[in-house]
Amino acid sequence: MFGKKSLTELISQLKSDPNVTHWHEIEEQPASIVPYPKNMDNRIKTALGKREIHGLYTHQSSAFEAVLNNENIVAVTPTASGKTFCYNLPVIQRHINRPNSRALYIFPTKALAQDQKSEINEFIDDMDVNINSYTYDGDTPANIRQVVRKAGHIVITNPDMLHSSVLPHHTKWISLFENLETVVIDELHTYRGVFGSHVANVIRRLKRICKYYGSNPTFICTSATIANPLELTEELIGEKARLIDNNGAPKGKKHFVLYNPPIVNKQLNVRKSSTKVVNEIAATFLKEKIQTIVFSRSRVSVEIILSHLQELVKKDLNRKSIRGYRGGYLPNQRREIERNLRNGETIGVVSTNALELGVDIGQLQVCVMNGYPGSIASSWQQAGRAGRRMDESIVIMVANSNPLDQYLFQHPEFFFEGSPETARLNKDNLIILVDHLKCAAYELPFERGETFDGTEIEEILYYLAEERVLHEQRNKWYWMNDAFPAHNISLRSAAQENVIIIDQSHVEKHRVIGEMDTFSAMTLLHDEAIYLHEGVQYQVEYLDWDEKKAYVREVDVEYFTDANLAVQLKVLDIDKEKQLGTSLLEYGDMMVTAMATIFKKLKLETFENIGSGPIHLPEQELHTNGIALSFSSDEITNMREDVVEQMLMGLAHVLQHVACVRVMCDKNDLHAVPEVKAIHSEKPTVFLYDRYPGGIGLSDTVYKQIDVILHDAIDFIDRCTCSEGCPSCIGIAGAYSDFEREVSVKKIILSSLNSIIKHKATTL
Amino acid sequence: MNIKTKLNRMKGHLQLDKGLKETKFSNQQQAPEVEETVADDELTLKWSQLGFKPYVYEDQLSYEKRYTVPFDRMGKTNLQKELFEVKELWKKSDLDHPLSSKEVPLNRMLFFDTETTGLSSGAGNSIFLIGYARIVEEGVEITQHILKDPSSEAAFLYRFLLDFQEDDYLVSYNGKAFDWPQVKTRHTFVRNQVPRLPSFGHIDLLHAARRLWKHELPSCRLSIVEKEKLGINRGLDTPGSMAPILYFDYIHDKDPNHLKGIIEHNDQDVRSLVSLYVILTKRLFFSEGVKMSTMEHVQIGNWFEQTKAINMAKDHYIKAIDNGGNGREEAYFKLAVLEKKDNNVMVAKELFLKCISVGTLPKIEAMIELAKIAEHHEKDLEAAYEISRKAMGNLKKSARLTASSKRIVQDVEKRLLRLEKKMMK
């Protein structure tokens, strides 16, 4: 009781904090319950009755009826709304109707699969039915595997396992595939981008195998809130589906607070470190023994916050009561933490997004986020960790200085007025498609005229036959290679190699402090670069490009480095284009070549050039999709070249950030490059391209949504409090178009964007 | 060699086959794919030069070679006699042993090996060559089936299954983990076109070889076992690892000569299995004329112990002790434990003492056993204490403690404490 009172007090105390920029209250909502569906077996009702459940939430009931009607569904419901019943109940009912029927559950991670197994097993135990449910993952012992294959009515696995173990060995799974009636795909929204594109192909393979064995399963998907759950579902499973979003679960009152740390450097618009602020806020709650979860984006920052919090509260509580939770912890340790959270022994947990997915950790009262988690969907999932069971709860998001966070804090409506994010995948990305065609051919020969779940593939099959990977015989393509293709294809990290950053300041204790994608590493982690990490300066002593490791040492110098990356974009093929006033927007195939050339050392206060050096790194090549926005208005063509350059740089900066929010991707997935004179058009151009070979559909979405994105960009710059541009908005401070310092680049960018929009308005 | 005569002989088969094919196609409305037929004829001719005959099943072809090697040409003197000897040994014994062929007539044993297009065990890995040896009156009959091309799998497996009977018994090398599951996988694909796959008995000689020789040989690969234990040197053998590439070349060029080497390799494999089965059995039963190392006796003893053939185990341990050398210490210990179980405590004590005396470092487990005997059977607490203390001293000398040795240390500590208490009384 004491704790509760204290939470209310702390909430009102926080209300008067000047750094709170937005306070949003989500009112409580009563449950909406309907009677059991008519065709539900009595044993299920009895088992539910034992749990004091005497009806279904509206969405659970809709799901049940749709699935038994053989419709594919996607249920979109918030955390703790009983979504597991959306699939467990129909699956059990189907088993009762036909005891031989099988179901396959696909969870994005092993931990979730374990969790689900215990949940469904508990429920089955309460009923008098003979349903065997097993997890099947890398940890499953060999002797159990045989049992699972033969006798598992419900097989719970992850996409990686399906890809590399189940499908390639389908002959050992005959009883599953012959009787497969239901496929459950949980946490659907995680299947986007490269990962999603891979998984969509795994599903194509799954359906192909099912067809071979004569089954035609129904898909049940569940998703966190995204803009296009139905579209994503239909893309992923390649079939029509029904959206179920009539959530009937009750909700407790929730406060959602945006907290922007105070500005500490006015000129550069730099704010107090969000990590420090998070520490302070979390500590105030933890001191009152209020269960709190802290989310932070990187593993490193989790550890930093954890050690701070343990320090802060060491007098009040024992250290074990505050725990870290991230990938890299052993499964047993994770299970223990989850258990302690549920039973209240642990009152504080600091986590990466590892806890964002539906692992059951019971009820927490406070959620503090260190920075915007990267997507609205993640934000809501993390927020859902607080107040799962109808109590009052509070969610506090603390902004970083970076443009994305600042942008979102200017636009709280993004969070509270529906979700603008769209999850994309591109299952016909040629590289991914070919990879999975190989796997599919390994599993089962292709027949002439056969499509890959609707996609024409004959040309690729001919190509693979020419390469002597396949062999054509009597109108069939057979796998003719001694390799096991699935082993060389990873669903998660394909071609996305990262450079590991190793701090060797302390000879006895080298430690990994972070990682970076190879493209960025060329300019930020080259030899002698000054690398900033958590506000600390490091110098790169050696970049081992082959091993993808950068060795850094802590330094204290008064300069930073700025590397010149010669990026060239060649437009290979234009697929679509549209005229926006005097500007032209094109979309198509592009070849990006990047080479780091030299770096400059710039003095911190004055930006004075105090030295330079060469960078010796190989050229990187990327074949992808992208858009080009080129300008040909007189206003711009008459400007001095260096002004045009600055303007394009600023524009690229803004568009990249705004577009990333719209298309729901990480900043590293969608890159922006300005070119004063683009090769293909000879005009000043800003390019945005997918940072993955072959493209994953991001720039395509940007093309389609360009109007909103341009509006967003204008709005973003407009709302920034700086007068002449700052690192948070256009990425550069104090740039002007003339020596009299009258017209700032910020203004030019605004006016050029406005002219596009305006023209658009008049033509419409 | 007279190729012409050979070709002439083959011709008959070709025509016969063609005839079959034509009747088959004539039943169908559609004309057959002419080109393919011509190509098949050419291919069949080439295969016949390697001794393979074509067989038609439904609209598919399979190639098969079958010939008998007289016993005296098997590279092992007295093979026939030895085989009967081995047969008799199992017949007479009532051991329930993995190598036993008691219930199996000699001519029902199938010494079996396959060649595949890869080492993975998934659905895309094909078997392209199945070979097996059978003991017949005149010698060893060797049969090899070739997968003509990936679209002829039904014919390939059909011919193979046709040759099989329910009471056949497979003898293989790693067949339980690899070859047979692979046959099952391939069978799944054509299960509607071919007979059911019977469930055979199966003896896997790799398991036996590992039991006997894993400490002795650098690896238990068949080629190494052949060289070290059968005295077979393959010389210019095509290694099995080349099989996939060679088969792809064959598929691409339609030239069976690519596979010549791998066919010979498979042929040698199944022949070796016959000899290997003979020498393994003879080792189990101390047959005359078989020289065995002390370690082999110890290992076989172990194996018999696990299969509950205690007397056979004891015999091998005794033989190991007689032989002397490396392995003797273990044999003393194992034998002692068995004697103790049989309540021959004093015999056991002698053996434990011997065990300690032959080792460079006395075996701790033996010392503990001696302490137990002193404490519980002889009621000599001081002797028990003394030997436990020695054991402790030796344990402390050994620098690295593994998890299991840590447990032993705890055990000994407990024993010492208990003995101290008892002695105080």
Side-chain angles (χ1 to χ4, degrees):
Chain A
M1 270 297 99
F2 170 74
K4 260 212 159 124
K5 195 174 161 215
S6 190
L7 177 65
T8 322
E9 270 174 20
L10 288 171
I11 288 174
S12 56
Q13 191 184 315
L14 194 65
K15 267 189 177 153
S16 53
D17 192 312
N19 295 312
V20 169
T21 59
H22 189 85
W23 193 288
H24 185 84
E25 274 179 23
I26 302 161
E27 287 310 315
E28 54 202 311
Q29 187 190 307
S32 158
I33 295 172
V34 293
Y36 291 129
K38 272 191 230 99
N39 47 359
M40 184 186 270
D41 191 89
N42 277 330
R43 279 168 282 182
I44 299 180
K45 293 178 193 166
T46 318
L48 289 168
K50 278 186 197 164
R51 297 162 171 240
E52 304 297 320
I53 297 170
H54 302 289
L56 293 183
Y57 293 140
T58 40
H59 62 287
Q60 294 168 339
S61 168
S62 309
F64 188 89
E65 276 165 2
V67 173
L68 286 188
N69 205 13
N70 297 326
E71 283 180 80
N72 301 312
I73 61 158
V74 51
V76 182
T77 51
T79 330
S81 56
K83 68 168 177 180
T84 51
F85 278 163
C86 290
Y87 46 79
N88 282 341
L89 298 184
V91 164
I92 292 173
Q93 181 65 47
R94 279 185 156 183
H95 178 86
I96 290 171
N97 296 351
R98 200 177 77 88
N100 217 0
S101 83
R102 309 286 165 122
L104 183 69
Y105 284 26
I106 303 168
F107 291 91
T109 66
K110 267 194 264 180
L112 279 173
Q114 291 290 350
D115 219 45
Q116 285 303 316
K117 187 185 78 172
S118 12
E119 183 168 338
I120 191 163
N121 277 345
E122 269 169 40
F123 194 76
I124 292 167
D125 287 346
D126 285 347
M127 295 174 59
D128 185 25
V129 287
N130 175 31
I131 302 179
N132 303 320
S133 82
Y134 300 100
T135 52
Y136 191 84
D137 56 36
D139 301 339
T140 312
N143 52 338
I144 307 282
R145 290 189 177 203
Q146 277 202 4
V147 180
V148 182
R149 288 178 195 141
K150 292 231 160 68
H153 295 115
I154 299 177
V155 177
I156 306 172
T157 188
N158 53 59
D160 313 77
M161 204 63 188
L162 187 60
H163 154 69
S164 67
S165 179
V166 178
L167 292 175
H169 296 105
H170 61 86
T171 54
K172 299 184 175 105
W173 291 87
I174 298 182
S175 50
L176 175 77
F177 288 119
E178 281 184 342
N179 300 299
L180 191 59
E181 288 192 4
T182 321
V183 176
V184 172
I185 303 176
D186 195 24
E187 311 277 356
L188 177 92
H189 58 280
T190 57
Y191 302 121
R192 56 176 197 259
V194 177
F195 182 45
S197 309
H198 273 296
V199 175
N201 278 287
V202 174
I203 301 288
R204 283 170 159 174
R205 283 160 54 199
L206 170 69
K207 286 170 68 181
R208 190 165 170 258
I209 298 293
C210 286
K211 200 172 157 203
Y212 177 72
Y213 288 104
S215 61
N216 181 22
T218 312
F219 287 83
I220 306 179
C221 309
T222 68
S223 170
T225 310
I226 50 173
N228 59 339
L230 196 59
E231 188 189 9
L232 185 68
T233 306
E234 290 178 350
E235 269 290 291
L236 194 79
I237 67 172
E239 283 172 32
K240 286 272 162 237
R242 190 170 133 190
L243 176 67
I244 291 185
D245 56 358
N246 51 341
N247 177 24
K251 275 189 272 185
K253 184 173 184 174
K254 185 175 275 179
H255 305 267
F256 203 123
V257 179
L258 301 186
Y259 191 102
N260 208 354
I263 294 176
V264 287
N265 179 330
K266 200 129 203 184
Q267 193 195 356
L268 288 176
N269 211 0
V270 173
R271 290 171 186 274
K272 185 173 171 185
S273 150
S274 62
T275 307
K276 274 187 196 157
V277 175
V278 166
N279 283 337
E280 290 161 14
I281 294 178
T284 47
F285 290 105
L286 287 169
K287 277 179 184 160
E288 303 300 331
K289 296 194 171 42
I290 298 169
Q291 269 203 319
T292 301
I293 184 165
V294 178
F295 282 105
S296 199
R297 284 196 77 173
S298 73
R299 295 169 167 210
V300 182
S301 61
V302 163
E303 292 302 326
I304 291 171
I305 295 173
L306 181 64
S307 59
H308 269 272
L309 285 181
Q310 288 182 334
E311 187 64 25
L312 276 165
V313 295
K314 75 175 169 194
K315 284 178 211 134
D316 310 82
L317 300 158
N318 74 50
R319 281 169 74 91
K320 276 256 162 176
S321 64
I322 295 177
R323 308 290 298 262
Y325 188 104
R326 59 172 172 82
Y329 283 13
L330 297 173
N332 279 344
Q333 200 178 354
R334 286 185 177 215
R335 294 298 93 74
E336 187 206 329
I337 298 170
E338 289 158 18
R339 210 171 36 243
N340 288 346
L341 275 166
R342 280 194 295 267
N343 65 23
E345 260 178 61
T346 294
I347 58 150
V349 64
V350 188
S351 171
T352 56
N353 58 6
L355 263 180
E356 174 183 315
L357 303 174
V359 177
D360 182 15
I361 53 167
Q363 160 202 32
L364 301 173
Q365 286 161 292
V366 182
C367 168
V368 186
M369 299 177 205
N370 183 13
Y372 170 61
S375 77
I376 306 274
S378 295
S379 308
W380 280 110
Q381 285 230 300
Q382 297 188 355
R385 282 304 182 185
R388 295 185 79 176
R389 292 181 203 151
M390 306 174 65
D391 286 319
E392 189 177 33
S393 62
I394 180 163
V395 178
I396 303 156
M397 187 188 286
V398 179
N400 278 325
S401 281
N402 74 48
L404 195 55
D405 283 31
Q406 291 305 318
Y407 173 65
L408 281 158
F409 269 56
Q410 292 164 12
H411 302 272
E413 69 272 13
F414 261 129
F415 288 106
F416 307 115
E417 289 162 22
S419 165
E421 287 162 340
T422 314
R424 295 281 159 203
L425 56 84
N426 175 14
K427 56 186 170 182
D428 290 332
N429 170 300
L430 202 55
I431 292 163
I432 295 175
L433 180 64
V434 170
D435 274 351
H436 288 277
L437 279 178
K438 282 195 213 163
C439 295
Y442 179 93
E443 286 149 15
L444 214 55
F446 276 101
E447 286 182 40
R448 191 182 296 278
E450 188 182 338
T451 62
F452 198 37
D453 204 25
T455 298
E456 295 283 338
I457 47 167
E458 205 150 293
E459 253 180 285
I460 302 174
L461 295 178
Y462 272 117
Y463 167 77
L464 288 174
E466 263 171 46
E467 295 292 307
R468 293 181 67 175
V469 173
L470 303 183
H471 173 73
E472 197 205 345
Q473 184 111 33
R474 294 203 188 188
N475 294 326
K476 273 191 179 180
W477 279 273
Y478 294 90
W479 178 253
M480 256 316 127
N481 200 286
D482 60 341
F484 184 75
H487 273 176
N488 302 324
I489 298 160
S490 157
L491 304 185
R492 300 192 191 245
S493 63
Q496 300 272 45
E497 226 184 346
N498 279 350
V499 176
I500 305 286
I501 305 162
I502 299 162
D503 175 17
Q504 48 183 8
S505 308
H506 305 285
V507 187
E508 71 287 356
K509 210 175 95 191
H510 288 192
R511 56 188 192 115
V512 174
I513 55 171
E515 56 184 350
M516 192 183 284
D517 68 291
T518 46
F519 244 58
S520 316
M522 289 197 290
T523 54
L524 295 174
L525 289 174
H526 56 82
D527 292 357
E528 288 186 67
I530 298 296
Y531 167 68
L532 278 170
H533 191 88
E534 303 278 330
V536 179
Q537 289 178 321
Y538 295 89
Q539 183 170 46
V540 179
E541 301 201 318
Y542 174 55
L543 173 61
D544 187 342
W545 190 251
D546 297 330
E547 291 293 318
K548 298 279 178 286
K549 283 177 186 155
Y551 296 93
V552 303
R553 188 184 299 276
E554 206 178 315
V555 289
D556 186 12
V557 292
E558 52 177 18
Y559 66 91
F560 63 98
T561 53
D562 183 22
N564 194 352
L565 186 69
V567 179
Q568 267 204 340
L569 272 124
K570 281 193 202 113
V571 177
L572 302 177
D573 203 6
I574 298 288
D575 292 341
K576 352 179 210 191
E577 56 180 26
K578 55 183 163 193
Q579 197 72 38
L580 305 170
T582 50
S583 303
L584 180 68
L585 181 71
E586 295 160 302
Y587 168 82
D589 284 5
M590 299 188 178
M591 167 78 90
V592 185
T593 53
M595 187 151 129
T597 49
I598 55 159
F599 70 96
K600 291 175 282 189
K601 294 178 180 172
L602 300 172
K603 208 159 181 190
L604 272 178
E605 284 98 43
T606 58
F607 291 8
E608 190 184 338
N609 188 341
I610 55 171
S612 66
I615 302 171
H616 302 287
L617 288 174
E619 187 177 70
Q620 298 288 299
E621 222 172 60
L622 175 71
H623 187 164
T624 181
N625 292 328
I627 58 146
L629 178 63
S630 49
F631 299 89
S632 45
S633 71
D634 295 342
E635 186 196 352
I636 288 164
T637 38
N638 289 338
M639 273 193 282
R640 278 205 334 269
E641 194 166 288
D642 62 317
V643 180
V644 176
E645 191 180 352
Q646 281 181 324
M647 170 231 154
L648 292 174
M649 272 168 64
L651 197 58
H653 187 87
V654 176
L655 286 177
Q656 185 192 11
H657 280 103
V658 174
C660 283
V661 176
R662 276 288 169 196
V663 301
M664 199 173 177
C665 73
D666 197 83
K667 216 178 74 198
N668 289 326
D669 294 342
L670 187 69
H671 271 207
V673 167
E675 275 191 7
V676 177
K677 198 171 181 185
I679 302 172
H680 77 293
S681 63
E682 305 205 325
K683 300 215 166 66
T685 306
V686 173
F687 293 93
L688 287 176
Y689 61 88
D690 291 21
R691 250 303 283 137
Y692 182 81
I696 42 170
L698 301 175
S699 39
D700 188 31
T701 315
V702 174
Y703 181 86
K704 287 177 189 151
Q705 300 194 359
I706 192 70
D707 294 348
V708 236
I709 289 170
L710 291 174
H711 272 292
D712 287 352
I714 294 169
D715 202 42
F716 176 48
I717 302 171
D718 226 8
R719 290 214 194 185
C720 187
T721 49
C722 70
S723 51
E724 315 161 328
C726 71
S728 288
C729 61
I730 61 166
I732 31 178
Y736 291 91
S737 71
D738 43 28
F739 298 111
E740 288 80 44
R741 300 171 75 90
E742 266 170 24
V743 188
S744 71
V745 168
K746 182 175 173 177
K747 284 217 180 74
I748 298 176
I749 293 174
L750 268 179
S751 76
S752 60
L753 282 172
N754 270 318
S755 77
I756 301 175
I757 297 289
K758 235 180 274 156
H759 198 91
K760 187 78 194 160
T762 53
T763 50
L764 280 173
Chain B
M1 275 298 274
N2 191 339
I3 295 174
K4 208 167 185 182
T5 0
K6 240 186 180 180
L7 274 174
N8 270 333
R9 208 188 318 144
M10 300 304 165
K11 224 172 191 174
H13 296 301
L14 302 178
Q15 274 167 358
L16 179 77
D17 255 26
K18 219 167 163 186
L20 264 178
K21 224 179 195 177
E22 273 161 1
T23 45
K24 194 143 182 83
F25 282 126
S26 64
N27 290 338
Q28 295 172 346
Q29 293 276 326
Q30 263 183 326
E33 282 177 48
V34 183
E35 273 175 58
E36 191 115 334
T37 319
V38 174
D40 276 0
D41 283 352
E42 269 174 39
L43 190 63
T44 300
L45 189 69
K46 282 183 187 161
W47 272 114
S48 69
Q49 286 159 357
L50 294 180
F52 283 80
K53 296 179 191 172
Y55 289 91
V56 177
Y57 177 66
E58 294 188 342
D59 59 342
Q60 300 175 4
L61 269 185
S62 168
Y63 295 108
E64 182 179 321
K65 175 179 172 181
R66 191 191 299 260
Y67 70 110
T68 306
V69 188
F71 285 117
D72 55 8
R73 300 271 296 277
M74 279 288 289
K76 195 173 193 314
T77 41
N78 294 329
L79 181 66
Q80 188 175 23
K81 195 174 138 257
E82 283 187 294
L83 275 165
F84 285 118
E85 201 183 311
V86 161
K87 185 64 221 164
E88 280 307 301
L89 283 170
W90 284 119
K91 216 175 193 172
K92 274 189 280 175
S93 95
D94 16 84
L95 298 173
D96 182 17
H97 193 274
L99 283 190
S100 174
S101 55
K102 187 180 172 69
E103 309 292 335
V104 193
L106 208 47
N107 62 357
R108 294 258 67 92
M109 290 177 80
L110 234 75
F111 298 86
F112 172 92
D113 191 31
T114 66
E115 305 300 329
T116 59
T117 60
L119 288 176
S120 62
S121 61
N125 186 19
S126 298
I127 299 175
F128 67 84
L129 172 55
I130 296 177
Y132 42 86
R134 253 186 219 285
I135 315 299
V136 293
E137 253 173 63
E138 313 81 53
V140 178
E141 182 198 73
I142 290 173
T143 311
Q144 289 177 314
H145 301 272
I146 286 279
L147 175 67
K148 174 179 162 276
D149 56 54
S151 63
S152 307
E153 198 153 30
F156 173 64
L157 286 177
Y158 176 76
R159 280 305 302 181
F160 160 68
L161 287 171
L162 212 58
D163 212 17
F164 254 120
Q165 301 192 15
E166 194 76 36
D167 55 351
D168 275 339
Y169 221 80
L170 294 176
V171 183
S172 72
Y173 207 75
N174 197 23
K176 280 193 176 169
F178 185 74
D179 303 66
W180 198 247
Q182 205 53 37
V183 170
K184 279 188 187 161
T185 297
R186 299 323 305 174
H187 183 267
T188 310
F189 283 97
V190 291
R191 65 196 196 285
N192 297 328
Q193 292 161 269
V194 303
R196 201 174 51 83
L197 204 57
S199 52
F200 304 109
H202 193 156
I203 295 171
D204 193 330
L205 297 184
L206 173 66
H207 297 194
R210 283 222 182 104
R211 292 241 176 217
L212 265 66
W213 302 315
K214 69 173 172 202
H215 298 291
E216 197 179 323
L217 298 179
S219 102
C220 285
R221 283 214 327 268
L222 186 57
S223 59
I224 289 179
V225 170
E226 277 176 357
K227 198 172 158 200
E228 300 296 327
K229 296 292 167 183
L230 298 174
I232 297 170
N233 205 335
R234 293 222 182 184
L236 290 172
D237 180 52
T238 306
S241 55
M242 290 284 290
I245 305 291
L246 293 170
Y247 188 69
F248 303 148
D249 283 349
Y250 154 73
I251 285 295
H252 192 256
D253 305 344
K254 300 208 169 19
D255 181 2
N257 282 310
H258 286 300
L259 294 178
K260 217 173 154 190
I262 214 73
I263 291 166
E264 282 162 14
H265 170 91
N266 176 266
D267 183 296
Q268 181 59 57
D269 275 357
V270 295
R271 288 186 198 205
S272 294
L273 291 181
V274 179
S275 308
L276 189 57
Y277 186 65
V278 168
I279 72 152
L280 282 166
T281 306
K282 288 179 88 173
R283 273 171 163 71
L284 294 188
F285 291 103
F286 311 94
S287 290
E288 273 173 60
V290 184
K291 261 200 181 167
M292 289 171 68
S293 68
T294 307
M295 216 47 197
E296 280 177 338
H297 280 299
V298 174
Q299 294 296 337
I300 295 173
N302 263 331
W303 197 7
F304 273 127
E305 229 184 294
Q306 282 168 23
T307 56
K308 306 275 186 287
I310 301 303
N311 286 332
M312 288 298 279
K314 280 186 182 173
D315 288 350
H316 276 280
Y317 292 142
I318 292 167
K319 198 83 181 186
I321 291 166
D322 289 350
N323 261 6
N326 191 15
R328 194 162 45 143
E329 184 187 15
E330 182 76 8
Y332 271 126
F333 182 74
K334 291 278 188 180
L335 188 58
V337 173
L338 288 179
E339 291 297 346
K340 197 183 154 199
K341 264 189 199 154
D342 283 352
N343 257 328
N344 301 325
V345 181
M346 285 308 117
V347 180
K349 184 183 172 185
E350 278 309 300
L351 290 165
F352 280 128
L353 283 170
K354 288 249 175 65
C355 172
I356 289 174
S357 68
V358 295
T360 36
L361 267 176
K363 194 174 171 73
I364 304 287
E365 289 86 349
M367 296 175 88
I368 295 174
E369 288 297 329
L370 280 170
K372 281 186 196 164
I373 292 175
E375 184 184 347
H376 302 300
H377 295 275
E378 301 176 329
K379 312 287 180 202
D380 185 346
L381 296 181
E382 269 172 44
Y385 188 75
E386 189 54 29
I387 195 151
S388 300
R389 254 198 35 214
K390 264 192 204 157
M392 199 63 195
N394 281 328
L395 269 173
K396 294 227 163 109
K397 263 185 236 163
S398 55
R400 259 194 287 141
L401 287 184
T402 58
S404 65
S405 66
K406 267 184 202 152
R407 217 176 318 124
I408 296 175
V409 170
Q410 283 172 357
D411 266 11
V412 176
E413 276 171 351
K414 248 189 245 162
R415 182 175 306 281
L416 282 169
L417 271 175
R418 193 179 59 231
L419 286 167
E420 270 171 34
K421 256 190 217 164
K422 272 192 183 176
M423 285 192 292
M424 298 284 272
K425 278 180 193 165

